[in-house]
Amino acid sequence: MTARFICRTTAGKSAKSRMATVGAIAVAGALLLSGCGDQTKSKDEGGEKVSNAPLADKLPKDIRDAGVIKVGSDIAYPPVEFKDKSGKTVGIDPDLGDALGKQLGVEFQFDNGTFDTLLGGLRSKRYDLAMSAMTDTKNRQEGVDEETGKKIGDGVDFVDYFTAGVSIYTKKGDDQGIKTWSDLCGKKIVVQRGTVSHDLAKAESKKCKGGKKIAIESFDNDQQAQTRLRSGGADAGSSDFPVAAYAVKTSGGGKDFELVGEQVEAAPYGIAISKKNPELRDAIKAALDAIIKNGDYDKIISKWGVEDGAVKEALINGGK
């Protein structure tokens, strides 16, 4: 989940562009409890919701009849998606899912999974789509493993909904001179497994000279990586800018971490959908365009302080 803006990716050069300032991200801290949470609807309520929704007829019939879109998501990536103190799923993606659901007349049901298993869950039809600050990349579109270059599946289509970049952070007051990725040679970095940050670290390590490779420790989620850095088990961490900025602002009351250097690898976040389900893909695109047009999208993006990553229209497979 790196560049998750919140972004995540699998392509070395497709990270994310960063949006808001650290100060702006901080606004999210005061809004945690106001995010949309898990929803429950009776069947009668669901039927009425579908019939009254402006874009319900664009959905595949099986999803329209079920009244639910099953969303695979790594719900441990604040402020994109995470659990609040009451255990509800909140964040940018859940709020957007709620707005999209109103257009389509269905509930977006977020199901938790580790980031690197989400596309597999999509292939096995455990999920209808994956929405988890996932970077849209050509490799993911084509089903190519980033590390081996081998084709591992049919790939997915993306409906792009945000732009983000990748940042490095260190313990506060202990940046060890780290300003760029090349400065990490001979040092240890912690990242979330399967993210753009993970890919960048592996690619940069290959460039290191004099045998000073980057020691990389990867984790199931970003919060585990932060814990490792906080305890002194690494020299730096990397995440999508929004996530890194949020951690810097909130962890230890702002006393644990600091951002170093500039954001890199700007790229779009995409909602991943099976290539075998173009009807659902087009319905999601139509719903995203609708909430951009009616202002709901901007309200959500502004609420979480990430306006710099906002998009003006929904694109399909805009990642490079």
Side-chain angles (χ1 to χ4, degrees):
M1 284 174 160
T2 289
R4 290 158 114 209
F5 210 156
I6 320 168
C7 256
R8 305 171 191 174
T9 169
T10 288
K13 298 219 167 171
S14 290
K16 309 77 190 159
S17 97
R18 224 52 253 137
M19 355 194 244
T21 63
V22 176
I25 294 286
V27 175
L31 293 166
L32 301 189
L33 298 182
S34 64
C36 72
D38 300 327
Q39 305 172 42
T40 55
K41 301 286 182 184
S42 71
K43 291 184 179 179
D44 290 341
E45 289 174 323
E48 181 179 355
K49 183 179 178 182
V50 171
S51 65
N52 293 334
L55 299 177
D57 61 346
K58 291 186 174 295
L59 284 171
K61 185 178 184 301
D62 59 335
I63 291 179
R64 188 167 64 245
D65 290 346
V68 172
I69 289 179
K70 294 177 290 184
V71 182
S73 187
D74 181 358
I75 308 175
Y77 209 66
V80 187
E81 55 262 322
F82 61 107
K83 299 283 188 179
D84 67 12
K85 292 181 179 179
S86 70
K88 289 185 178 180
T89 300
V90 298
I92 298 167
D93 283 356
D95 280 1
L96 289 174
D98 185 57
L100 295 172
K102 289 176 181 176
Q103 293 294 317
L104 296 168
V106 293
E107 173 193 352
F108 273 54
Q109 176 183 298
F110 280 73
D111 296 328
N112 195 24
T114 56
F115 184 72
D116 59 350
T117 66
L118 297 182
L119 293 185
L122 194 58
R123 287 193 294 270
S124 68
K125 298 183 179 181
R126 178 179 179 183
Y127 312 123
D128 298 310
L129 56 82
M131 188 174 185
S132 193
M134 183 177 289
T135 301
D136 173 2
T137 70
K138 284 295 183 185
N139 279 343
R140 284 177 173 159
Q141 292 170 23
E142 297 170 0
V144 174
D145 182 85
E146 172 65 23
E147 191 164 0
T148 66
K150 295 181 179 179
K151 192 168 178 63
I152 56 175
D154 295 332
V156 296
D157 284 330
F158 285 99
V159 178
D160 298 338
Y161 66 101
F162 193 77
T163 302
V166 181
S167 291
I168 299 170
Y169 59 98
T170 66
K171 292 185 70 174
K172 192 163 188 176
D174 188 22
D175 65 17
Q176 302 184 58
I178 298 171
K179 299 298 180 185
T180 67
W181 281 85
S182 60
D183 294 331
L184 291 167
C185 292
K187 300 185 185 300
K188 183 176 181 179
I189 189 171
V190 289
V191 296
Q192 180 174 358
R193 190 177 301 112
T195 62
V196 173
S197 291
H198 195 185
D199 294 335
L200 284 173
K202 289 185 286 188
E204 191 63 43
S205 185
K206 293 178 181 178
K207 302 176 186 177
C208 294
K209 299 179 180 180
K212 293 184 176 181
K213 300 295 185 181
I214 301 173
I216 305 167
E217 188 172 6
S218 61
F219 295 85
D220 286 342
N221 62 61
D222 204 66
Q223 292 171 332
Q224 292 171 348
Q226 292 172 20
T227 298
R228 182 67 162 164
L229 178 59
R230 192 183 298 112
S231 68
D235 300 301
S238 177
S239 302
D240 292 356
F241 169 76
V243 177
Y246 186 86
V248 166
K249 190 67 182 180
T250 61
S251 181
K255 297 178 181 179
D256 288 342
F257 305 127
E258 63 179 276
L259 290 172
V260 296
E262 302 293 329
Q263 297 173 50
V264 299
E265 301 287 313
Y269 279 168
I271 300 170
I273 303 161
S274 171
K275 287 186 179 295
K276 298 178 181 179
N277 203 345
E279 190 176 4
L280 177 58
R281 177 200 65 199
D282 293 345
I284 295 296
K285 181 185 185 303
L288 181 56
D289 278 329
I291 66 172
I292 290 173
K293 184 176 181 180
N294 71 16
D296 287 347
Y297 175 86
D298 283 341
K299 289 178 182 177
I300 293 167
I301 295 301
S302 297
K303 166 186 170 180
W304 291 99
V306 292
E307 295 91 336
D308 288 350
V311 299
K312 299 300 182 183
E313 62 177 333
L315 293 178
I316 294 176
N317 295 333
K320 304 300 182 182

